[in-house]
């Protein structure tokens, strides 16, 4: 059956299989004792730990600003951002004081030196 397939088509199949093996191979022994190498499947995974770390650091940063500036100054600066361009309005939405920010600010306020 392989003899009927044109040479270029067989060559493309070999090259495609070789390209798939760039992620590595899984070797197994078939029932007749032949060692067969199959390409290891590439499954991209979502970097959940990285996303959680960025969110944690973002809330920590907001909490630091909230504790350092004080509630009134922080709210005034966010209000200033809300009256700006679309990008500034998006930043104001992100920087709004939420319960997690206030909780982080309470924890950080114990560490910050008092003025």
């Amino acid at each position: 059956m392989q003899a009927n397939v044109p040479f270029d088509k067989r060559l493309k199949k070999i090259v495609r299989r070789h390209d798939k093996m760039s992620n590595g191979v899984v070797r197994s022994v078939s029932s007749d004792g032949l060692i067969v190498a199959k390409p290891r499947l590439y499954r991209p995974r979502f970097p959940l730990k990285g996303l959680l770390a960025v969110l944690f650091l973002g809330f920590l940063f907001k909490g630091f600003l909230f504790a350092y500036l004080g509630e009134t100054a922080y709210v005034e600066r966010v209000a200033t951002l809300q009256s700006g361009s679309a990008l500034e309005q998006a930043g104001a939405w992100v920087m709004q004081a939420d319960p997690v920010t206030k909780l982080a600010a309470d924890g950080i306020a114990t560490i910050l030196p008092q003025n």
Side-chain angles (χ1 to χ4, degrees):
M1 179 161 175
Q2 285 286 358
N4 295 338
V5 179
F7 177 75
D8 291 335
K9 194 170 186 178
R10 287 184 291 158
L11 184 62
K12 284 181 185 179
K13 184 178 177 182
I14 291 170
V15 169
R16 254 185 285 140
R17 186 168 182 157
H18 178 75
D19 289 343
K20 286 182 183 178
M21 290 187 185
S22 64
N23 293 326
V25 294
V26 177
R27 293 177 184 87
S28 60
V29 179
S30 64
S31 60
D32 61 354
L34 184 66
I35 299 174
V36 179
K38 293 183 180 178
R40 177 175 285 137
L41 296 177
Y42 173 69
R43 295 183 190 130
R45 297 186 339 177
F46 187 75
L48 185 61
K49 289 181 185 177
L51 179 65
L52 290 176
V54 168
L55 283 173
F56 176 76
L57 290 174
F59 280 115
L60 198 63
F61 176 70
K62 283 173 54 176
F64 172 76
L65 285 178
F66 194 86
Y68 183 74
L69 295 173
E71 185 172 1
T72 55
Y74 187 85
V75 170
E76 287 174 5
R77 290 185 184 210
V78 171
T80 304
L81 282 176
Q82 286 176 341
S83 63
S85 66
L87 185 62
E88 290 172 336
Q89 290 174 3
W93 182 80
V94 169
M95 294 303 287
Q96 285 179 352
D98 50 40
V100 178
T101 302
K102 291 179 182 179
L103 182 68
D106 291 341
I108 293 173
T110 60
I111 300 170
L112 283 177
Q114 300 299 322
N115 293 349

